[in-house]
């Protein structure tokens, strides 16, 4: 606003680099959370749990499968929630850093524009003062000539 007003009033941007502060912007999420839909089973045993389950009676197989599925669901929910939480925190942190950087830049540009407007205004005031002083000297000289002419005509 100051830079725009300076350009309108004086036709000069006050010597800045020509950049103007940007308006309000919406910060977008940079990082997108990813979803895990399968938990890979890892074991040091050469015999997998699936082989062991096939040997067990049907009721134990069903019980173990149910427990295994509950554990997998809990693990997937926890992992996905943690991924979502982490990415959300990262996006918030990135947004605040960008906002701080943009705020610093915009304040710097505003300060430069204000200082440029002040410099331009002082220069114009100095020129105006010099012009008024020259004009005053000129008018005083003319007034003196008029008084001299009045004094000459009165002496005759």
């Amino acid at each position: 606003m100051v830079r725009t007003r300076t350009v309108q009033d004086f036709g000069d941007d006050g010597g800045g680099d020509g950049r103007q502060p940007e308006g309000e912007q919406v910060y977008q999420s940079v990082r997108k959370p990813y979803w895990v839909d399968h938990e890979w089973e890892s074991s040091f045993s050469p015999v997998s749990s699936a082989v062991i389950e096939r040997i067990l009676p049907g009721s134990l197989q069903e019980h173990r499968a149910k427990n295994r599925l509950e554990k997998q669901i809990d693990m997937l929910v926890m992992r996905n929630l943690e991924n979502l939480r982490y990415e959300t925190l990262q996006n918030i942190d990135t947004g605040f850093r960008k906002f701080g950087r943009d705020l610093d830049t915009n304040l710097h540009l505003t300060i430069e524009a204000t200082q440029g407007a002040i410099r331009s205004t002082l220069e114009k005031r100095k020129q105006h003062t010099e012009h008024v002083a020259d004009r005053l000297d000129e008018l005083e000289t003319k007034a003196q000539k008029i008084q001299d002419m009045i004094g000459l005509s009165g002496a005759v």
Side-chain angles (χ1 to χ4, degrees):
M1 187 168 121
V2 172
R3 185 181 298 268
T4 305
R5 180 66 186 201
T6 302
V7 172
Q8 289 172 351
D9 289 347
F10 304 111
D12 180 12
D13 69 355
D17 61 2
R19 296 188 309 156
Q20 292 188 6
E22 298 175 7
E24 183 176 329
Q25 296 177 345
V26 176
Y27 292 101
Q28 298 176 353
S29 63
V30 177
R31 299 173 61 126
K32 304 240 187 253
Y34 60 93
W35 295 99
V36 178
D37 57 7
H38 182 73
E39 178 70 26
W40 293 98
E41 185 178 323
S42 60
S43 171
F44 290 113
S45 173
V47 180
S48 71
S49 63
V51 172
I52 294 173
E53 283 183 12
R54 286 186 198 147
I55 300 172
L56 297 174
S59 63
L60 281 175
Q61 283 181 2
E62 187 178 313
H63 180 69
R64 282 180 59 109
K66 184 179 177 184
N67 285 341
R68 185 181 71 248
L69 286 175
E70 285 178 0
K71 286 180 183 177
Q72 284 178 347
I73 289 171
D74 287 344
M75 180 59 77
L76 290 174
V77 167
M78 292 298 278
R79 179 174 279 181
N80 285 326
L81 283 176
E82 177 57 26
N83 288 342
L84 183 61
R85 184 194 71 81
Y86 179 76
E87 296 301 333
T88 301
L89 286 175
Q90 293 300 312
N91 285 332
I92 290 170
D93 188 46
T94 301
F96 274 108
R97 278 196 314 268
K98 184 175 180 345
F99 174 76
R101 227 179 12 254
D102 290 349
L103 182 63
D104 288 345
T105 300
N106 288 343
L107 286 175
H108 180 71
L109 290 172
T110 302
I111 289 168
E112 283 181 357
T114 303
Q115 289 173 342
I118 290 169
R119 281 191 301 270
S120 179
T121 302
L122 286 174
E123 182 63 31
K124 293 216 180 270
R125 183 176 179 187
K126 182 179 175 184
Q127 290 173 357
H128 181 71
T129 302
E130 291 172 358
H131 178 70
V132 167
D134 291 344
R135 183 75 174 138
L136 184 61
D137 288 344
E138 180 183 320
L139 291 175
E140 285 177 351
T141 304
K142 287 182 179 179
Q144 186 62 39
K145 285 181 183 178
I146 291 172
Q147 283 184 350
D148 289 345
M149 289 170 62
I150 292 173
L152 288 177
S153 60
V156 176

